[in-house]
Amino acid sequence: MKQYDVVIVGAGMAGSTLALALHRLCHGKLSIAVIEAHPVNSEQHPGFDARAIALSYGTANILKTLGLWDKFSAITTAITDIQVSDRGHLGFTDIDAKSQGVDALGYVVELADVGRLYQAELNNTELNNTELNHAAIDYFCPAQVKRIERSVEQVVIELNDGNHLQAKLLVAADGALSQSCKLLDIELNEVDFEQHAVIVNVSTQLPPNGKAFERFTSSGPLAFLPMSDQRSSVVWCLPPQQAEQILALDEQAFTQALQQQFGWRLGAITKVGVRASYPLLLRYRESVISHRFAVVGNAAQTLHPIAGQGFNLGIRDVMSLAESITQAFEQGQDIGAYTVLSQYRQSREQDRNQTMSLTSSLVNIFSNDWLSLRVGRNLALMAMGNLSCIKQPIVKRTMGLVER
């Protein structure tokens, strides 16, 4: 039986970041195992598919702290301006990096590129800008958790390939439908927003030049995120039946429908890539800890993409857990003890609740065409454009500048 300090299930962005964070913060003195069901280059890998995501300014700062940002900066596109509008109405506000005193409000990165980066980091012999090596991280892939047994002082994980791992702490970072959480009966709550996200990368006549757009329509929000080569990543939220109809359109009809909803801010849409769709739900677990067990990232909560908060909230989970474990390790404590995990839970409670509440409220306010809400949201957007006391708290959370 192989002995470890920490076993992490899931090598997506949350799990990989946690492994590298613990390795760096504890100076390579923790033994770590990472278990991943799918190879990073597999189309089945749910964490590194064809989507692009927005990393907040705060997430970039966390990755800088961990010595990872130099690698990320080569595959990101900066967001220097965010324009928020309500289609067909006067509501409009603009958030720009210069007014916030930063070079970028956030960064767009393609998940496939992130997958290759983390694969290289986990398999590499040298951590960027340090003398640490990755010898303390064992990577089991492809492998799945078959059974989990916990005792007072340890947790034993049986894999489907016959391997048995023993650890002081097991961490679930294996996505919204976490298998490890299922095996331990960690309850999952779901709220169906009755929307599907249609995702596609498009090329436009005008380059986005760092501009992101959040456009609210009567059927749901529509976001354009800037990418390289005059491309944008599109997330179009629609009722399920309408999403199905949109997906069935030929390329020309799809382009016309998207152009009509988005407008001409980037000129004509000249090319559309492969389209995909997935249902939008709020999934969350009331408790992110159990005996010698912690939950991070999408396994802890999966949010609606309306404000681009999900991945960034997950990275804050990761950093808070890494700091709690590091503090316990430096003080000679049991890193899997319930007191250590309770510190992590308490540190995440306010941020989790506020971010989930904000995201769900935005969906309810901006995903329908009721007259009262339409008037209210347009007044709110206009107020944001003119009153910094209203605008700044929302901007700070959008940038990921929140207390952990």
Side-chain angles (χ1 to χ4, degrees), residues 190-254:
E190 289 189 355
V191 177
D192 191 346
F193 291 117
E194 298 181 354
Q195 289 182 342
H196 281 211
V198 174
I199 58 173
V200 62
N201 293 339
V202 303
S203 297
T204 52
Q205 185 179 12
L206 301 176
N209 290 331
K211 288 185 178 179
F213 301 87
E214 185 90 46
R215 188 143 168 81
F216 298 112
T217 74
S218 58
S219 54
L222 169 63
F224 273 55
L225 299 175
M227 299 170 68
S228 59
D229 304 322
Q230 291 195 206
R231 296 178 303 150
S232 292
S233 172
V234 176
V235 181
W236 190 1
C237 302
L238 297 161
Q241 186 175 359
Q242 193 173 344
E244 188 176 336
Q245 294 169 350
I246 287 290
L247 284 172
L249 296 175
D250 62 32
E251 184 171 329
Q252 182 179 358
F254 176 84

Side-chain angles (χ1 to χ4, degrees), residues 64-360:
K64 287 175 185 176
T65 300
L66 300 175
L68 291 169
W69 185 247
D70 285 347
K71 301 282 180 71
F72 268 89
S73 60
I75 58 173
T76 58
T77 300
I79 300 173
T80 56
D81 186 89
I82 302 174
Q83 295 185 7
V84 186
S85 61
D86 197 3
R87 182 178 180 272
H89 305 288
L90 295 176
F92 177 86
T93 192
D94 183 86
I95 306 166
D96 67 280
K98 186 176 180 180
S99 68
Q100 301 301 315
V102 296
D103 294 330
L105 299 166
Y107 302 85
V108 180
V109 63
E110 295 181 62
L111 285 174
D113 289 336
V114 176
R116 287 187 286 270
L117 185 156
Y118 275 124
Q119 179 78 36
E121 285 295 300
L122 289 174
N123 289 329
N124 206 353
T125 57
E126 189 173 302
L127 188 59
N128 187 44
N129 293 331
T130 77
E131 295 180 354
L132 298 177
N133 60 58
H134 290 180
I137 302 178
D138 285 345
Y139 187 41
F140 295 84
C141 179
Q144 292 178 286
V145 177
K146 180 179 178 181
R147 189 165 56 91
I148 300 170
E149 287 189 4
R150 293 180 289 180
S151 62
V152 174
E153 296 184 348
Q154 66 186 24
V155 53
V156 175
I157 304 99
E158 180 184 349
L159 305 184
N160 62 339
D161 61 6
N163 274 305
H164 287 74
L165 315 181
Q166 180 179 302
K168 297 175 182 176
L169 174 64
L170 174 64
V171 181
D174 48 345
L177 302 178
S178 166
Q179 174 67 11
S180 44
C181 286
K182 286 181 182 177
L183 290 172
L184 294 177
D185 294 323
I186 307 298
E187 184 179 356
L188 177 66
N189 298 309
E190 289 189 355
V191 177
D192 191 346
F193 291 117
E194 298 181 354
Q195 289 182 342
H196 281 211
V198 174
I199 58 173
V200 62
N201 293 339
V202 303
S203 297
T204 52
Q205 185 179 12
L206 301 176
N209 290 331
K211 288 185 178 179
F213 301 87
E214 185 90 46
R215 188 143 168 81
F216 298 112
T217 74
S218 58
S219 54
L222 169 63
F224 273 55
L225 299 175
M227 299 170 68
S228 59
D229 304 322
Q230 291 195 206
R231 296 178 303 150
S232 292
S233 172
V234 176
V235 181
W236 190 1
C237 302
L238 297 161
Q241 186 175 359
Q242 193 173 344
E244 188 176 336
Q245 294 169 350
I246 287 290
L247 284 172
L249 296 175
D250 62 32
E251 184 171 329
Q252 182 179 358
F254 176 84
T255 301
Q256 289 176 347
L258 180 59
Q259 189 88 64
Q260 181 183 23
Q261 291 298 308
F262 177 66
W264 298 86
R265 291 165 178 77
L266 295 175
I269 297 169
T270 57
K271 185 178 180 180
V272 298
V274 177
R275 288 169 259 167
S277 177
Y278 59 91
L280 297 177
L281 304 97
L282 168 63
R283 291 185 170 117
Y284 66 97
R285 302 184 196 275
E286 293 283 358
S287 178
V288 294
I289 66 168
S290 181
H291 177 63
R292 297 201 173 272
F293 184 72
V295 191
V296 297
N298 283 346
Q301 66 276 315
T302 306
L303 310 185
H304 190 288
I306 189 169
Q309 292 295 304
F311 278 92
N312 299 296
L313 180 61
I315 293 298
R316 296 199 293 273
D317 290 345
V318 164
M319 196 61 182
S320 294
L321 179 59
E323 288 172 344
S324 294
I325 292 172
T326 300
Q327 182 181 14
F329 173 74
E330 290 176 344
Q331 295 175 355
Q333 299 175 10
D334 179 352
I335 63 169
Y338 200 78
T339 52
V340 175
L341 301 182
S342 293
Q343 180 183 346
Y344 160 64
R345 179 192 61 200
Q346 291 167 7
S347 70
R348 299 304 304 134
E349 191 169 2
Q350 182 174 345
D351 185 17
R352 283 187 82 221
N353 291 340
Q354 288 183 352
T355 305
M356 286 193 294
S357 177
L358 171 66
T359 301
S360 298

